[in-house]
Amino acid sequence: MQARRTTTVRRRRGAVGTAALALVLALAGCAPSTAIKSARPLGEIRPPAFELVPGQTSIERFDPPGAGAGLSMTVGTLVRNPNPFPVRLEAVSYDVVLDGDRVARGAMTTSIYLEAGATAPLKFPVHSDLKGKTGLLRAVVRAFADTPLPFRVEGTVRFTSASYAFETRKAVLVEGATLARQTVAPPRLRLDEAASRVFMLRPGVPVVQVVVMATNPGDIGYFLSGKDLTLTLAGQSMARDDMRPVPLAAGEEGRIDLIFYPVPAKLSDDGRAALEAALHGIPTLLRLNGQLAMDVLGVDAFQVPSDWEVAGFVRATPPAP
């Protein structure tokens, strides 16, 4: 019985030895003809570094609440390869923090090839909705009044060398402060002659409806308001009134409806004649001017240059039903 067990153990050991020998021979057959004797890193492998470019970093557009509460900005950087060998920057995932408030998240696929020590431009686009973020809204508005807005970009970077791929832990990629690209721009105003009209609301109550199309050519939205706006027909003063605040989003056009109620008894003879001519369907020259102000979130207000004027021809049309 003992002899049988000994024979079985020897057979198993022989089988294991044969299998191990076969594996060694197979591995030897797969090994390269020139074996690597040793491998060691030539230096620390460092991720691409980002340097802020102030001239390429700014707030591009901002609309205060009531006009959208949206923010668009660009963070311009130079990405540099700090390694003594070429790398390819393949992707960047990032978060943007403005004045301590995390506002946006993005990702870019870049495929930027960088020789050792080389640089290349890379821009981080930022688009965010700032509704409900009162403190941040005020900080953004102040960037249009010479108070820099602090920011930082955090994220991870994926890059490759000739033989390896790397991905970094999340870290601050770049930080700094920026101003708006330009200050508040006054609106471009024109009279919508087709929509403007003169009519009798009821006997003895004439009405002049003035429709102004206002375009905000700048990068920041605001509320446009007016004080002591003066209406004239054929050069004769008709009425004066204020204009309630109207939101004008950045880069967009809005319609402003103004209603004036001339009082015939208070008009001069020439004034009454001009009003009667318009009411009888004769095209009559209308002019509108006064004080206009651009209010950005109540943080700051800017006056529209006083030489603005809206002019065009109006005549009587039936009132809308």
Side-chain angles (χ1 to χ4, degrees):
M1 185 68 177
Q2 183 67 29
R4 288 182 180 178
R5 289 180 180 175
T6 302
T7 301
T8 302
V9 170
R10 286 178 178 173
R11 286 177 179 173
R12 288 178 179 174
R13 287 178 179 173
V16 172
T18 302
L21 178 60
L23 178 61
V24 170
L25 292 175
L27 292 175
C30 295
S33 56
T34 304
I36 297 174
K37 182 178 179 181
S38 64
R40 61 186 178 87
L42 297 177
E44 180 184 1
I45 298 174
R46 291 180 291 174
F50 297 85
E51 176 186 348
L52 183 67
V53 181
Q56 298 294 320
T57 301
S58 66
I59 299 173
E60 305 292 333
R61 174 186 172 126
F62 170 62
D63 294 321
L71 171 75
S72 295
M73 67 177 288
T74 298
V75 178
T77 69
L78 275 180
V79 57
R80 180 176 60 86
N81 176 16
N83 297 292
F85 51 83
V87 300
R88 184 179 297 277
L89 177 62
E90 294 196 338
V92 182
S93 298
Y94 62 94
D95 294 339
V96 179
V97 179
L98 298 180
D99 198 38
D101 205 332
R102 199 171 302 273
V103 299
R105 176 170 295 173
M108 293 186 290
T109 302
T110 58
S111 191
I112 298 175
Y113 181 77
L114 295 167
E115 293 284 357
T119 61
L122 182 65
K123 293 183 178 181
F124 292 86
V126 181
H127 303 285
S128 180
D129 183 352
L130 304 186
K131 289 179 181 176
K133 300 180 179 180
T134 305
L136 181 55
L137 283 167
R138 294 184 180 276
V140 172
V141 171
R142 293 190 182 100
F144 288 84
D146 299 326
T147 301
L149 175 69
F151 69 88
R152 70 176 181 272
V153 180
E154 303 173 350
T156 61
V157 176
R158 189 170 74 245
F159 65 102
T160 60
S161 65
S163 304
Y164 295 94
F166 308 91
E167 185 166 352
T168 66
R169 295 185 179 90
K170 188 173 184 178
V172 175
L173 303 180
V174 67
E175 59 185 336
T178 187
L179 294 169
R181 187 175 63 180
Q182 61 177 244
T183 57
V184 178
R188 292 196 292 262
L189 306 170
R190 65 177 178 85
L191 180 69
D192 187 340
E193 295 185 350
S196 300
R197 57 202 176 102
V198 182
F199 61 92
M200 294 295 290
L201 181 63
R202 60 177 182 269
V205 182
V207 176
V208 181
Q209 180 181 6
V210 181
V211 179
V212 177
M213 302 307 296
T215 301
N216 178 359
D219 298 322
I220 179 171
Y222 48 76
F223 290 90
L224 183 68
S225 60
K227 184 175 177 58
D228 293 332
L229 300 186
T230 301
L231 170 73
T232 66
L233 289 177
Q236 303 299 312
S237 179
M238 293 287 120
R240 179 178 296 177
D241 204 352
D242 295 340
M243 185 181 82
R244 62 177 177 80
V246 177
L248 284 181
E252 295 186 10
E253 183 180 63
R255 170 174 167 149
I256 302 173
D257 284 87
L258 302 170
I259 302 295
F260 293 88
Y261 297 92
V263 179
K266 295 183 178 181
L267 299 180
S268 65
D269 291 341
D270 289 340
R272 283 192 293 270
L275 180 59
E276 286 296 325
L279 286 169
H280 283 83
I282 299 174
T284 305
L285 179 62
L286 176 151
R287 294 184 186 275
L288 181 70
N289 52 38
Q291 301 176 34
L292 290 178
M294 302 166 289
D295 185 354
V296 184
L297 197 62
V299 175
D300 211 343
F302 306 84
Q303 293 297 316
V304 174
S306 59
D307 59 351
W308 75 272
E309 183 180 73
V310 169
F313 288 90
V314 293
R315 61 181 178 178
T317 59

